[in-house]
Amino acid sequence: MSRQWLSLVGALWLQSMAGTNTNFPAYSTQIKKLLSISQIQLNNLAFASDAGKLLGWFSGIAATYLPLWLVLLIGSTLGLIGYGVQYLFLTNHINSLSYWHVFSLTFLAGNSICWINTVCYIVAIQNFPLDRQVAVGLTTSYLSLSAKIITDIVNVINFSSPSERAKIYLLLNSVLPLFVSIVTAPVIRETKVEKSRKLSDGFRVMFIITLATGTYAVVTSMESAMNKLLPRLLSLFGMGVFLVLPILVPLTEKIKEHWHRQCWIRRDPRICDLSNLEEAEMRISQEENNNCGVKEDNDIGFAVMEEIEAKKMLMRLDFWLYFFVYLFGATLGLVYLNNLGQIADTRGYTGTSALVSLSSSFGFFGRLLPSLFDYLFSRSKYAISRPATIAVTLAPMTGAFFLLLNNSHIALYISTAIIGICTGAITSISVAQTTELFGTKNFGVNHNIIVANIPIGSFLFGDLAAMLYRRQGNSSDGICLGMKCFQTTFVIWGCLCFLGTCLAFILHLRTQKFYNHLRGRN
């Protein structure tokens, strides 16, 4: 069991460094200046990072035939090339890159994230089959810390010009994921696990550590505008401590395994309670007898509506409802976060890094909350279906887009926090939703097809915002200032998010019978 938990810790560390594209707003303005590109061209670079997900299904196929550690190293190497060459270009070590070269490199870097995410999802689902939402939510929550962690490192390393900070961001984006991948590769593997719910103690400790980590990230995000070196060093050191703490769970399990092994071998009353040992033997025997003749829903033991391949999935109405719910929910939130730097500039707000850290930290809680609710209420009669949960999550997100019509900095902070937490929640829920709607055998390919809506939405919604921005801007330099720049965009985004809420409710009605059966079985 300790290997099971160690693989989860490895996935946590990987996810904490895999979200390199989430810190794009922190240096997007400088990229725009350094490359002398328009707002539409800048948006297309953000789209290129998301467009890498169009080929994310390659990672799903690779994970079927290759060892997970090799899939992981392939993905991190793609990121090293994609971000690393851009770094060399910005530092004048390479002088011949065109805009389209940078676009292609950004696409490659965006694709690298899919490989890392696919490995983490597979490890969480296969190694914790009866608690997949809990395990997936824990791992994906750490993805939102990437921008926060890298921003803390940048703040410690460099306080000079914004252009130098942009270079450091790209350097860290290229080398950190590869370094963490090399460290975690030996423990990232599928393990043969017992199909039981004896993991509550481990998850309880994980939740405590994770909640403390998220709280620390939010608090220190509020202080990210401070200019003293010591608080920044303390912020980074504290985050490092919190990232190491999850290793306590597999270490504790290893000690328990050793103690139980000695207990079973020696039967020594000085080291174990023999009465409890006999009860354990009887319980195991009873479980084995009860499991005889029982047919699981699939080969790892949890309920799904149907095991289907990608071609058949594309012909289902449920797929398209789910696809557009994600498009008008999580994808729309990601587009907002990609444009956060420009949105802040038009309002005259200069603390973009603080906003990026804030959205990252609240996104952390958003990804964690579905796991926490699943851990506490999944077997309760009051539990609601995942499509209904998504609908409930989209409602406040709709309000946040309309709140952005208020010009105050407080409204900007509140809306960014709400959009960050809702986007993170939907992203976390979607992994379990994909397995329940379409099965686990083809998850690597199926889920990467689902998230292919991210580049589509990034292109459509992002370019729409860029065109409206240019229309309202100064005709000579294309720069726009004031609420008018994104006012119409926020109204459109809010309406689309409301449409996504309605579609999620329709999906809930179509799948209600399945989830009622699932609650009854639990």
Side-chain angles (χ1 to χ4, degrees), residues 124-184:
I125 291 172
Q126 300 291 346
N127 290 1
F128 298 87
L130 299 184
D131 298 283
R132 64 195 183 281
Q133 175 63 75
V134 180
V136 166
L138 281 169
T139 57
T140 58
S141 63
Y142 277 75
L143 185 66
S144 295
L145 290 180
S146 299
K148 162 67 178 169
I149 294 170
I150 293 179
T151 296
D152 283 349
I153 297 175
V154 172
N155 286 338
V156 171
I157 292 176
N158 190 280
F159 303 110
S160 58
S161 67
S163 61
E164 292 298 320
R165 290 174 63 86
K167 296 172 185 176
I168 295 176
Y169 267 107
L170 285 172
L171 176 62
L172 294 175
N173 282 354
S174 63
V175 299
L176 283 181
L178 179 61
F179 173 76
V180 177
S181 295
I182 293 173
V183 170
T184 59

Side-chain angles (χ1 to χ4, degrees), residues 206-273:
M206 279 289 191
F207 274 123
I208 293 172
I209 294 173
T210 305
L211 287 170
T213 303
T215 302
Y216 180 83
V218 171
V219 171
T220 53
S221 293
M222 302 300 182
E223 301 296 328
S224 62
M226 297 180 65
N227 293 320
K228 295 181 180 180
L229 177 61
L230 184 59
R232 290 175 172 177
L233 276 173
L234 288 177
S235 175
L236 180 60
F237 176 77
M239 184 57 66
V241 171
F242 277 109
L243 288 176
V244 172
L245 281 178
I247 199 68
L248 293 176
V249 175
L251 288 177
T252 302
E253 291 297 331
K254 187 67 175 178
I255 294 173
K256 287 182 179 179
E257 287 176 2
H258 176 75
W259 184 86
H260 284 299
R261 188 179 298 111
Q262 294 300 316
C263 183
W264 282 90
I265 294 174
R266 297 169 60 182
R267 303 283 181 137
D268 190 339
R270 292 174 299 177
I271 62 173
C272 61
D273 187 340

Side-chain angles (χ1 to χ4, degrees), residues 2 75 112 123 256-258 266 273 278 345 380 387 498 503:
S2 59
S112 71
V123 166
K256 287 182 179 179
E257 287 176 2
H258 176 75
R266 297 169 60 182
D273 187 340
E278 292 174 358
D345 285 346
S380 169
F498 177 74
L503 293 178

Side-chain angles (χ1 to χ4, degrees), residues 318-332:
D318 287 346
F319 165 79
W320 291 107
L321 284 172
Y322 179 31
F323 185 89
F324 283 106
V325 165
Y326 200 111
L327 180 67
F328 298 146
T331 296
L332 200 57

